[in-house]
């Protein structure tokens, strides 16, 4: 059982390292969004929330990650507005 984990780690860690360091930044953004969405899904599954709440939470989290990449750094009010909208959607 431990041998399988070691083999997967020996293969996966160098591949992830090369994926992050050698490909353009947009690929890292995609990787970050996918890992974040999976983590959020696990979080919502742990607390057994509704499907609607799970979808809204994952969509808002992904939107915030993408907005922080695509919106210019000189316009933080756009990210604040998006953050407010996401918080409002998740709370309501």
């Amino acid at each position: 059982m431990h041998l399988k984990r070691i083999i997967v780690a020996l293969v996966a860690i160098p591949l992830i390292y090369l994926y992050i360091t050698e490909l353009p930044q947009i690929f890292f953004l995609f990787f970050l969004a996918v890992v974040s969405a999976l983590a959020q899904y696990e979080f919502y599954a742990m607390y057994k929330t509704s499907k609607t709440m799970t979808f809204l939470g994952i969509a808002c989290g992904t939107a915030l990650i993408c907005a922080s990449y695509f919106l210019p750094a000189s316009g933080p009010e756009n990210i604040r507005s998006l953050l407010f909208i996401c918080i409002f959607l998740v709370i309501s």
Side-chain angles (χ1 to χ4, degrees), residues 9-77:
L10 288 174
V11 171
I13 290 174
L15 287 177
I16 291 172
Y17 175 77
L18 289 173
Y19 183 86
I20 291 171
T21 58
E22 298 300 323
L23 292 176
Q25 290 178 350
I26 194 76
F27 288 99
F28 181 67
L29 174 70
F30 176 73
F31 178 73
L32 191 63
V34 168
V35 169
S36 174
L38 289 173
Q40 285 179 307
Y41 178 77
E42 288 294 323
F43 175 78
Y44 288 121
M46 183 174 61
Y47 286 104
K48 297 177 177 82
T49 60
S50 68
K51 297 285 184 190
T52 306
M53 181 63 120
T54 301
F55 176 74
L56 267 175
I58 292 172
C60 287
T62 305
L64 286 172
I65 288 174
C66 291
S68 67
Y69 177 78
F70 288 111
L71 292 178
S74 62
E77 63 275 352

Short mmCIF file of all heavy atoms in Angstrom, two decimals, residues 9-77:
data_model
loop_
_atom_site.label_atom_id
_atom_site.label_comp_id
_atom_site.label_asym_id
_atom_site.label_seq_id
_atom_site.Cartn_x
_atom_site.Cartn_y
_atom_site.Cartn_z
N ALA A 9 3.81 9.43 -5.87
CA ALA A 9 4.51 10.66 -5.48
C ALA A 9 5.74 10.89 -6.35
O ALA A 9 6.02 12.03 -6.75
CB ALA A 9 4.90 10.60 -4.01
N LEU A 10 6.47 9.85 -6.65
CA LEU A 10 7.67 9.98 -7.48
C LEU A 10 7.32 10.41 -8.91
O LEU A 10 8.12 11.07 -9.57
CB LEU A 10 8.46 8.68 -7.50
CG LEU A 10 9.19 8.33 -6.22
CD1 LEU A 10 9.82 6.93 -6.33
CD2 LEU A 10 10.25 9.36 -5.90
N VAL A 11 6.15 10.05 -9.38
CA VAL A 11 5.74 10.44 -10.73
C VAL A 11 5.03 11.80 -10.70
O VAL A 11 5.30 12.67 -11.54
CB VAL A 11 4.82 9.36 -11.33
CG1 VAL A 11 4.20 9.84 -12.63
CG2 VAL A 11 5.59 8.07 -11.55
N ALA A 12 4.14 12.00 -9.74
CA ALA A 12 3.30 13.20 -9.73
C ALA A 12 4.06 14.47 -9.34
O ALA A 12 3.84 15.52 -9.94
CB ALA A 12 2.12 13.00 -8.78
N ILE A 13 4.93 14.40 -8.37
CA ILE A 13 5.61 15.61 -7.90
C ILE A 13 6.47 16.25 -8.98
O ILE A 13 6.38 17.45 -9.21
CB ILE A 13 6.41 15.32 -6.61
CG1 ILE A 13 5.42 15.08 -5.46
CG2 ILE A 13 7.35 16.46 -6.27
CD1 ILE A 13 6.04 14.65 -4.17
N PRO A 14 7.30 15.49 -9.72
CA PRO A 14 8.05 16.14 -10.81
C PRO A 14 7.14 16.67 -11.92
O PRO A 14 7.42 17.74 -12.49
CB PRO A 14 8.95 15.03 -11.35
CG PRO A 14 9.05 14.05 -10.26
CD PRO A 14 7.78 14.12 -9.51
N LEU A 15 6.05 15.97 -12.22
CA LEU A 15 5.13 16.46 -13.25
C LEU A 15 4.47 17.77 -12.83
O LEU A 15 4.34 18.70 -13.63
CB LEU A 15 4.08 15.40 -13.57
CG LEU A 15 4.56 14.20 -14.37
CD1 LEU A 15 3.43 13.20 -14.55
CD2 LEU A 15 5.10 14.64 -15.72
N ILE A 16 4.04 17.85 -11.60
CA ILE A 16 3.43 19.09 -11.10
C ILE A 16 4.46 20.21 -11.08
O ILE A 16 4.15 21.35 -11.45
CB ILE A 16 2.80 18.86 -9.71
CG1 ILE A 16 1.58 17.95 -9.85
CG2 ILE A 16 2.40 20.18 -9.06
CD1 ILE A 16 0.99 17.51 -8.53
N TYR A 17 5.67 19.91 -10.67
CA TYR A 17 6.73 20.92 -10.66
C TYR A 17 6.99 21.46 -12.07
O TYR A 17 7.08 22.67 -12.28
CB TYR A 17 8.02 20.33 -10.07
CG TYR A 17 9.18 21.28 -10.15
CD1 TYR A 17 9.27 22.34 -9.25
CD2 TYR A 17 10.16 21.15 -11.12
CE1 TYR A 17 10.33 23.23 -9.32
CE2 TYR A 17 11.21 22.03 -11.19
CZ TYR A 17 11.29 23.07 -10.29
OH TYR A 17 12.33 23.95 -10.37
N LEU A 18 7.09 20.57 -13.04
CA LEU A 18 7.30 21.01 -14.43
C LEU A 18 6.09 21.77 -14.95
O LEU A 18 6.24 22.74 -15.69
CB LEU A 18 7.60 19.80 -15.32
CG LEU A 18 8.96 19.16 -15.11
CD1 LEU A 18 9.07 17.88 -15.92
CD2 LEU A 18 10.07 20.12 -15.46
N TYR A 19 4.90 21.34 -14.59
CA TYR A 19 3.68 22.02 -15.00
C TYR A 19 3.68 23.47 -14.51
O TYR A 19 3.34 24.39 -15.24
CB TYR A 19 2.46 21.26 -14.46
CG TYR A 19 1.13 21.82 -14.88
CD1 TYR A 19 0.56 21.43 -16.08
CD2 TYR A 19 0.44 22.73 -14.09
CE1 TYR A 19 -0.66 21.92 -16.49
CE2 TYR A 19 -0.77 23.22 -14.49
CZ TYR A 19 -1.33 22.82 -15.69
OH TYR A 19 -2.53 23.32 -16.08
N ILE A 20 4.09 23.66 -13.26
CA ILE A 20 4.06 24.99 -12.67
C ILE A 20 5.19 25.87 -13.20
O ILE A 20 4.99 27.05 -13.50
CB ILE A 20 4.13 24.88 -11.13
CG1 ILE A 20 2.84 24.28 -10.58
CG2 ILE A 20 4.38 26.25 -10.48
CD1 ILE A 20 2.90 23.93 -9.12
N THR A 21 6.37 25.33 -13.37
CA THR A 21 7.52 26.16 -13.71
C THR A 21 7.72 26.37 -15.21
O THR A 21 8.25 27.41 -15.61
CB THR A 21 8.81 25.57 -13.13
OG1 THR A 21 8.99 24.24 -13.63
CG2 THR A 21 8.76 25.56 -11.61
N GLU A 22 7.33 25.43 -16.04
CA GLU A 22 7.67 25.51 -17.45
C GLU A 22 6.54 26.04 -18.35
O GLU A 22 6.81 26.58 -19.41
CB GLU A 22 8.11 24.14 -17.97
CG GLU A 22 9.34 23.60 -17.29
CD GLU A 22 10.57 24.49 -17.46
OE1 GLU A 22 10.75 25.09 -18.54
OE2 GLU A 22 11.34 24.61 -16.49
N LEU A 23 5.32 25.90 -17.95
CA LEU A 23 4.21 26.34 -18.79
C LEU A 23 3.88 27.81 -18.51
O LEU A 23 4.26 28.36 -17.47
CB LEU A 23 2.98 25.46 -18.54
CG LEU A 23 3.12 24.02 -19.01
CD1 LEU A 23 1.89 23.22 -18.63
CD2 LEU A 23 3.33 23.94 -20.51
N PRO A 24 3.15 28.46 -19.40
CA PRO A 24 2.77 29.87 -19.18
C PRO A 24 1.90 30.03 -17.93
O PRO A 24 1.31 29.08 -17.41
CB PRO A 24 1.97 30.22 -20.44
CG PRO A 24 2.39 29.24 -21.45
CD PRO A 24 2.76 28.00 -20.72
N GLN A 25 1.79 31.27 -17.48
CA GLN A 25 1.08 31.57 -16.24
C GLN A 25 -0.39 31.18 -16.28
O GLN A 25 -0.96 30.82 -15.24
CB GLN A 25 1.17 33.07 -15.94
CG GLN A 25 2.53 33.52 -15.54
CD GLN A 25 2.57 35.02 -15.30
OE1 GLN A 25 1.62 35.73 -15.59
NE2 GLN A 25 3.67 35.49 -14.77
N ILE A 26 -1.02 31.24 -17.43
CA ILE A 26 -2.43 30.91 -17.53
C ILE A 26 -2.69 29.45 -17.15
O ILE A 26 -3.73 29.12 -16.58
CB ILE A 26 -2.99 31.25 -18.93
CG1 ILE A 26 -4.51 31.24 -18.93
CG2 ILE A 26 -2.46 30.32 -19.98
CD1 ILE A 26 -5.09 32.45 -18.31
N PHE A 27 -1.73 28.57 -17.41
CA PHE A 27 -1.87 27.17 -17.03
C PHE A 27 -1.81 27.01 -15.52
O PHE A 27 -2.50 26.17 -14.93
CB PHE A 27 -0.81 26.30 -17.71
CG PHE A 27 -1.05 26.11 -19.17
CD1 PHE A 27 -0.36 26.88 -20.09
CD2 PHE A 27 -1.96 25.19 -19.61
CE1 PHE A 27 -0.58 26.71 -21.44
CE2 PHE A 27 -2.19 25.00 -20.96
CZ PHE A 27 -1.50 25.77 -21.88
N PHE A 28 -0.96 27.81 -14.88
CA PHE A 28 -0.90 27.79 -13.41
C PHE A 28 -2.21 28.30 -12.82
O PHE A 28 -2.68 27.77 -11.81
CB PHE A 28 0.28 28.60 -12.89
CG PHE A 28 0.39 28.57 -11.40
CD1 PHE A 28 0.70 27.40 -10.73
CD2 PHE A 28 0.17 29.71 -10.65
CE1 PHE A 28 0.80 27.36 -9.35
CE2 PHE A 28 0.27 29.69 -9.27
CZ PHE A 28 0.59 28.52 -8.63
N LEU A 29 -2.79 29.32 -13.45
CA LEU A 29 -4.09 29.81 -13.00
C LEU A 29 -5.14 28.71 -13.09
O LEU A 29 -5.93 28.52 -12.16
CB LEU A 29 -4.52 31.03 -13.83
CG LEU A 29 -5.92 31.54 -13.56
CD1 LEU A 29 -5.99 32.18 -12.18
CD2 LEU A 29 -6.33 32.53 -14.62
N PHE A 30 -5.15 27.98 -14.20
CA PHE A 30 -6.09 26.88 -14.36
C PHE A 30 -5.86 25.82 -13.28
O PHE A 30 -6.81 25.33 -12.67
CB PHE A 30 -5.95 26.26 -15.76
CG PHE A 30 -6.81 25.07 -15.98
CD1 PHE A 30 -8.18 25.21 -16.15
CD2 PHE A 30 -6.27 23.79 -16.02
CE1 PHE A 30 -8.99 24.10 -16.35
CE2 PHE A 30 -7.06 22.69 -16.23
CZ PHE A 30 -8.43 22.84 -16.39
N PHE A 31 -4.61 25.47 -13.03
CA PHE A 31 -4.27 24.49 -12.00
C PHE A 31 -4.74 24.96 -10.63
O PHE A 31 -5.34 24.19 -9.86
CB PHE A 31 -2.75 24.25 -12.00
CG PHE A 31 -2.27 23.29 -10.96
CD1 PHE A 31 -2.50 21.93 -11.09
CD2 PHE A 31 -1.57 23.74 -9.86
CE1 PHE A 31 -2.05 21.04 -10.14
CE2 PHE A 31 -1.12 22.87 -8.90
CZ PHE A 31 -1.36 21.50 -9.04
N LEU A 32 -4.49 26.21 -10.32
CA LEU A 32 -4.90 26.78 -9.05
C LEU A 32 -6.42 26.78 -8.89
O LEU A 32 -6.95 26.46 -7.82
CB LEU A 32 -4.35 28.20 -8.92
CG LEU A 32 -4.44 28.88 -7.57
CD1 LEU A 32 -3.62 28.12 -6.55
CD2 LEU A 32 -3.95 30.30 -7.69
N ALA A 33 -7.13 27.11 -9.96
CA ALA A 33 -8.59 27.13 -9.92
C ALA A 33 -9.15 25.73 -9.71
O ALA A 33 -10.10 25.54 -8.94
CB ALA A 33 -9.14 27.75 -11.20
N VAL A 34 -8.57 24.74 -10.36
CA VAL A 34 -9.05 23.37 -10.21
C VAL A 34 -8.79 22.85 -8.80
O VAL A 34 -9.67 22.26 -8.17
CB VAL A 34 -8.39 22.44 -11.27
CG1 VAL A 34 -8.64 20.98 -10.95
CG2 VAL A 34 -8.92 22.78 -12.65
N VAL A 35 -7.59 23.08 -8.29
CA VAL A 35 -7.27 22.62 -6.93
C VAL A 35 -8.16 23.33 -5.91
O VAL A 35 -8.67 22.71 -4.97
CB VAL A 35 -5.77 22.83 -6.63
CG1 VAL A 35 -5.47 22.62 -5.16
CG2 VAL A 35 -4.93 21.91 -7.48
N SER A 36 -8.39 24.62 -6.11
CA SER A 36 -9.26 25.37 -5.21
C SER A 36 -10.69 24.86 -5.27
O SER A 36 -11.35 24.72 -4.23
CB SER A 36 -9.22 26.85 -5.58
OG SER A 36 -10.15 27.56 -4.82
N ALA A 37 -11.19 24.58 -6.46
CA ALA A 37 -12.55 24.06 -6.60
C ALA A 37 -12.69 22.70 -5.93
O ALA A 37 -13.70 22.42 -5.26
CB ALA A 37 -12.93 23.99 -8.07
N LEU A 38 -11.68 21.84 -6.08
CA LEU A 38 -11.73 20.53 -5.42
C LEU A 38 -11.71 20.67 -3.90
O LEU A 38 -12.43 19.96 -3.19
CB LEU A 38 -10.57 19.66 -5.89
CG LEU A 38 -10.65 19.15 -7.32
CD1 LEU A 38 -9.36 18.45 -7.71
CD2 LEU A 38 -11.83 18.22 -7.48
N ALA A 39 -10.90 21.59 -3.40
CA ALA A 39 -10.84 21.81 -1.96
C ALA A 39 -12.16 22.36 -1.43
O ALA A 39 -12.64 21.95 -0.37
CB ALA A 39 -9.70 22.75 -1.61
N GLN A 40 -12.75 23.28 -2.18
CA GLN A 40 -14.04 23.82 -1.77
C GLN A 40 -15.12 22.75 -1.82
O GLN A 40 -15.99 22.70 -0.94
CB GLN A 40 -14.45 25.00 -2.65
CG GLN A 40 -13.69 26.25 -2.36
CD GLN A 40 -14.11 27.37 -3.29
OE1 GLN A 40 -14.10 27.21 -4.50
NE2 GLN A 40 -14.50 28.47 -2.71
N TYR A 41 -15.08 21.89 -2.82
CA TYR A 41 -16.06 20.80 -2.90
C TYR A 41 -15.95 19.89 -1.68
O TYR A 41 -16.95 19.49 -1.09
CB TYR A 41 -15.87 20.01 -4.19
CG TYR A 41 -16.83 18.86 -4.30
CD1 TYR A 41 -18.16 19.07 -4.65
CD2 TYR A 41 -16.42 17.55 -4.03
CE1 TYR A 41 -19.06 18.02 -4.73
CE2 TYR A 41 -17.30 16.50 -4.10
CZ TYR A 41 -18.61 16.73 -4.45
OH TYR A 41 -19.50 15.70 -4.52
N GLU A 42 -14.73 19.55 -1.30
CA GLU A 42 -14.51 18.72 -0.11
C GLU A 42 -15.03 19.43 1.14
O GLU A 42 -15.62 18.80 2.01
CB GLU A 42 -13.03 18.39 0.04
CG GLU A 42 -12.52 17.40 -0.96
CD GLU A 42 -13.12 16.02 -0.80
OE1 GLU A 42 -13.34 15.60 0.35
OE2 GLU A 42 -13.38 15.38 -1.82
N PHE A 43 -14.80 20.73 1.23
CA PHE A 43 -15.27 21.49 2.38
C PHE A 43 -16.79 21.45 2.47
O PHE A 43 -17.36 21.18 3.53
CB PHE A 43 -14.79 22.94 2.27
CG PHE A 43 -15.32 23.83 3.36
CD1 PHE A 43 -14.79 23.81 4.62
CD2 PHE A 43 -16.38 24.69 3.10
CE1 PHE A 43 -15.27 24.63 5.62
CE2 PHE A 43 -16.88 25.51 4.09
CZ PHE A 43 -16.32 25.48 5.36
N TYR A 44 -17.46 21.71 1.35
CA TYR A 44 -18.93 21.70 1.36
C TYR A 44 -19.48 20.30 1.58
O TYR A 44 -20.54 20.13 2.19
CB TYR A 44 -19.48 22.31 0.07
CG TYR A 44 -19.28 23.80 0.01
CD1 TYR A 44 -18.57 24.39 -1.02
CD2 TYR A 44 -19.81 24.64 0.98
CE1 TYR A 44 -18.38 25.76 -1.08
CE2 TYR A 44 -19.63 26.00 0.94
CZ TYR A 44 -18.92 26.56 -0.09
OH TYR A 44 -18.73 27.91 -0.14
N ALA A 45 -18.80 19.27 1.09
CA ALA A 45 -19.24 17.90 1.33
C ALA A 45 -19.09 17.53 2.80
O ALA A 45 -19.91 16.79 3.35
CB ALA A 45 -18.43 16.94 0.45
N MET A 46 -18.05 18.05 3.44
CA MET A 46 -17.83 17.77 4.85
C MET A 46 -18.98 18.30 5.71
O MET A 46 -19.40 17.67 6.67
CB MET A 46 -16.50 18.39 5.30
CG MET A 46 -16.13 18.11 6.72
SD MET A 46 -14.48 18.72 7.15
CE MET A 46 -14.63 20.46 6.87
N TYR A 47 -19.51 19.46 5.33
CA TYR A 47 -20.59 20.06 6.09
C TYR A 47 -21.97 19.76 5.51
O TYR A 47 -22.97 20.31 5.97
CB TYR A 47 -20.38 21.57 6.21
CG TYR A 47 -19.28 21.89 7.18
CD1 TYR A 47 -18.04 22.29 6.73
CD2 TYR A 47 -19.49 21.75 8.54
CE1 TYR A 47 -17.02 22.56 7.62
CE2 TYR A 47 -18.47 22.01 9.44
CZ TYR A 47 -17.24 22.42 8.98
OH TYR A 47 -16.23 22.68 9.85
N LYS A 48 -22.01 18.92 4.47
CA LYS A 48 -23.26 18.46 3.87
C LYS A 48 -24.19 19.61 3.49
O LYS A 48 -25.36 19.64 3.87
CB LYS A 48 -23.96 17.47 4.79
CG LYS A 48 -23.16 16.21 5.04
CD LYS A 48 -23.87 15.30 6.02
CE LYS A 48 -23.10 14.03 6.21
NZ LYS A 48 -22.01 14.11 7.14
N THR A 49 -23.67 20.56 2.75
CA THR A 49 -24.49 21.69 2.31
C THR A 49 -25.28 21.30 1.07
O THR A 49 -25.03 20.27 0.44
CB THR A 49 -23.62 22.92 1.99
OG1 THR A 49 -22.70 22.57 0.95
CG2 THR A 49 -22.85 23.37 3.21
N SER A 50 -26.23 22.13 0.71
CA SER A 50 -27.06 21.85 -0.47
C SER A 50 -26.23 21.99 -1.75
O SER A 50 -25.19 22.64 -1.76
CB SER A 50 -28.25 22.80 -0.51
OG SER A 50 -27.80 24.13 -0.75
N LYS A 51 -26.74 21.41 -2.81
CA LYS A 51 -26.05 21.48 -4.10
C LYS A 51 -25.95 22.92 -4.60
O LYS A 51 -24.94 23.33 -5.17
CB LYS A 51 -26.77 20.63 -5.15
CG LYS A 51 -26.81 19.17 -4.83
CD LYS A 51 -25.48 18.54 -5.08
CE LYS A 51 -25.60 17.05 -4.83
NZ LYS A 51 -24.33 16.39 -4.82
N THR A 52 -26.99 23.71 -4.35
CA THR A 52 -26.98 25.11 -4.78
C THR A 52 -25.88 25.88 -4.07
O THR A 52 -25.14 26.64 -4.69
CB THR A 52 -28.35 25.76 -4.50
OG1 THR A 52 -29.37 24.97 -5.11
CG2 THR A 52 -28.40 27.17 -5.02
N MET A 53 -25.78 25.69 -2.77
CA MET A 53 -24.76 26.38 -1.99
C MET A 53 -23.36 25.93 -2.41
O MET A 53 -22.44 26.75 -2.51
CB MET A 53 -24.96 26.13 -0.51
CG MET A 53 -23.96 26.84 0.35
SD MET A 53 -24.13 28.60 0.16
CE MET A 53 -24.48 29.04 1.81
N THR A 54 -23.20 24.66 -2.67
CA THR A 54 -21.92 24.14 -3.12
C THR A 54 -21.52 24.76 -4.46
O THR A 54 -20.39 25.23 -4.63
CB THR A 54 -21.97 22.60 -3.26
OG1 THR A 54 -22.32 22.04 -1.99
CG2 THR A 54 -20.65 22.03 -3.71
N PHE A 55 -22.45 24.78 -5.41
CA PHE A 55 -22.16 25.36 -6.71
C PHE A 55 -21.84 26.85 -6.60
O PHE A 55 -20.89 27.33 -7.21
CB PHE A 55 -23.35 25.14 -7.65
CG PHE A 55 -23.16 25.80 -8.98
CD1 PHE A 55 -22.29 25.27 -9.92
CD2 PHE A 55 -23.82 26.97 -9.29
CE1 PHE A 55 -22.10 25.88 -11.14
CE2 PHE A 55 -23.65 27.59 -10.50
CZ PHE A 55 -22.78 27.05 -11.43
N LEU A 56 -22.64 27.59 -5.81
CA LEU A 56 -22.38 29.02 -5.64
C LEU A 56 -21.03 29.28 -5.01
O LEU A 56 -20.30 30.19 -5.43
CB LEU A 56 -23.47 29.65 -4.78
CG LEU A 56 -24.65 30.24 -5.50
CD1 LEU A 56 -25.69 30.71 -4.49
CD2 LEU A 56 -24.24 31.37 -6.39
N GLY A 57 -20.68 28.52 -4.00
CA GLY A 57 -19.40 28.70 -3.33
C GLY A 57 -18.22 28.43 -4.25
O GLY A 57 -17.26 29.18 -4.29
N ILE A 58 -18.31 27.35 -5.01
CA ILE A 58 -17.23 27.01 -5.94
C ILE A 58 -17.14 28.04 -7.05
O ILE A 58 -16.04 28.47 -7.44
CB ILE A 58 -17.42 25.59 -6.49
CG1 ILE A 58 -17.20 24.57 -5.37
CG2 ILE A 58 -16.48 25.31 -7.65
CD1 ILE A 58 -17.55 23.14 -5.74
N ALA A 59 -18.29 28.48 -7.58
CA ALA A 59 -18.28 29.49 -8.65
C ALA A 59 -17.71 30.81 -8.15
O ALA A 59 -16.91 31.45 -8.86
CB ALA A 59 -19.70 29.70 -9.18
N CYS A 60 -18.08 31.22 -6.95
CA CYS A 60 -17.56 32.48 -6.41
C CYS A 60 -16.06 32.38 -6.12
O CYS A 60 -15.31 33.31 -6.39
CB CYS A 60 -18.31 32.86 -5.13
SG CYS A 60 -19.98 33.44 -5.45
N GLY A 61 -15.62 31.26 -5.58
CA GLY A 61 -14.19 31.08 -5.32
C GLY A 61 -13.37 31.11 -6.60
O GLY A 61 -12.32 31.75 -6.68
N THR A 62 -13.87 30.44 -7.63
CA THR A 62 -13.17 30.43 -8.91
C THR A 62 -13.18 31.82 -9.55
O THR A 62 -12.18 32.26 -10.12
CB THR A 62 -13.82 29.40 -9.86
OG1 THR A 62 -13.82 28.13 -9.20
CG2 THR A 62 -13.07 29.30 -11.16
N ALA A 63 -14.30 32.52 -9.42
CA ALA A 63 -14.38 33.88 -9.97
C ALA A 63 -13.39 34.81 -9.28
O ALA A 63 -12.75 35.65 -9.94
CB ALA A 63 -15.80 34.42 -9.83
N LEU A 64 -13.23 34.68 -7.98
CA LEU A 64 -12.28 35.53 -7.27
C LEU A 64 -10.84 35.23 -7.68
O LEU A 64 -10.03 36.15 -7.84
CB LEU A 64 -12.44 35.35 -5.76
CG LEU A 64 -13.68 36.01 -5.16
CD1 LEU A 64 -13.85 35.59 -3.72
CD2 LEU A 64 -13.59 37.51 -5.28
N ILE A 65 -10.52 33.97 -7.87
CA ILE A 65 -9.16 33.61 -8.30
C ILE A 65 -8.89 34.16 -9.70
O ILE A 65 -7.84 34.76 -9.96
CB ILE A 65 -8.96 32.08 -8.25
CG1 ILE A 65 -8.87 31.63 -6.80
CG2 ILE A 65 -7.70 31.67 -9.00
CD1 ILE A 65 -8.83 30.14 -6.62
N CYS A 66 -9.85 33.97 -10.60
CA CYS A 66 -9.67 34.47 -11.98
C CYS A 66 -9.64 35.99 -12.02
O CYS A 66 -8.88 36.58 -12.79
CB CYS A 66 -10.76 33.92 -12.88
SG CYS A 66 -10.62 32.14 -13.15
N ALA A 67 -10.47 36.64 -11.20
CA ALA A 67 -10.50 38.11 -11.19
C ALA A 67 -9.18 38.67 -10.68
O ALA A 67 -8.71 39.70 -11.19
CB ALA A 67 -11.65 38.60 -10.32
N SER A 68 -8.59 38.01 -9.71
CA SER A 68 -7.32 38.52 -9.19
C SER A 68 -6.21 38.41 -10.24
O SER A 68 -5.23 39.16 -10.19
CB SER A 68 -6.91 37.77 -7.93
OG SER A 68 -6.62 36.42 -8.22
N TYR A 69 -6.37 37.54 -11.21
CA TYR A 69 -5.38 37.41 -12.28
C TYR A 69 -5.67 38.37 -13.43
O TYR A 69 -4.78 39.03 -13.94
CB TYR A 69 -5.34 35.97 -12.79
CG TYR A 69 -4.39 35.77 -13.94
CD1 TYR A 69 -3.03 35.65 -13.71
CD2 TYR A 69 -4.84 35.70 -15.25
CE1 TYR A 69 -2.14 35.47 -14.75
CE2 TYR A 69 -3.96 35.52 -16.30
CZ TYR A 69 -2.62 35.40 -16.05
OH TYR A 69 -1.74 35.22 -17.09
N PHE A 70 -6.92 38.43 -13.85
CA PHE A 70 -7.26 39.18 -15.05
C PHE A 70 -7.49 40.68 -14.83
O PHE A 70 -7.25 41.47 -15.72
CB PHE A 70 -8.50 38.59 -15.74
CG PHE A 70 -8.21 37.29 -16.40
CD1 PHE A 70 -8.75 36.11 -15.92
CD2 PHE A 70 -7.39 37.23 -17.51
CE1 PHE A 70 -8.49 34.91 -16.53
CE2 PHE A 70 -7.11 36.02 -18.14
CZ PHE A 70 -7.67 34.86 -17.65
N LEU A 71 -7.97 41.06 -13.66
CA LEU A 71 -8.21 42.48 -13.42
C LEU A 71 -6.89 43.18 -13.14
O LEU A 71 -6.01 42.63 -12.50
CB LEU A 71 -9.18 42.67 -12.25
CG LEU A 71 -10.60 42.21 -12.52
CD1 LEU A 71 -11.45 42.41 -11.27
CD2 LEU A 71 -11.23 42.94 -13.68
N PRO A 72 -6.75 44.42 -13.59
CA PRO A 72 -5.48 45.13 -13.36
C PRO A 72 -5.24 45.40 -11.87
O PRO A 72 -6.18 45.55 -11.10
CB PRO A 72 -5.66 46.44 -14.13
CG PRO A 72 -7.12 46.61 -14.28
CD PRO A 72 -7.71 45.23 -14.30
N ALA A 73 -3.97 45.43 -11.52
CA ALA A 73 -3.61 45.65 -10.12
C ALA A 73 -3.98 47.06 -9.66
O ALA A 73 -4.13 47.30 -8.47
CB ALA A 73 -2.12 45.41 -9.92
N SER A 74 -4.12 47.98 -10.60
CA SER A 74 -4.45 49.35 -10.21
C SER A 74 -5.93 49.54 -9.90
O SER A 74 -6.34 50.61 -9.50
CB SER A 74 -4.05 50.32 -11.34
OG SER A 74 -4.79 50.00 -12.51
N GLY A 75 -6.74 48.51 -10.09
CA GLY A 75 -8.17 48.64 -9.85
C GLY A 75 -8.69 47.70 -8.79
O GLY A 75 -9.48 46.81 -9.09
N PRO A 76 -8.27 47.86 -7.53
CA PRO A 76 -8.73 46.93 -6.49
C PRO A 76 -10.21 47.08 -6.18
O PRO A 76 -10.81 46.19 -5.58
CB PRO A 76 -7.87 47.28 -5.28
CG PRO A 76 -7.47 48.69 -5.50
CD PRO A 76 -7.35 48.84 -6.99
N GLU A 77 -10.82 48.20 -6.58
CA GLU A 77 -12.25 48.36 -6.30
C GLU A 77 -13.07 47.34 -7.07
O GLU A 77 -14.14 46.94 -6.63
CB GLU A 77 -12.72 49.78 -6.62
CG GLU A 77 -12.60 50.18 -8.07
CD GLU A 77 -11.22 50.71 -8.45
OE1 GLU A 77 -10.38 50.92 -7.57
OE2 GLU A 77 -11.00 50.90 -9.65
#
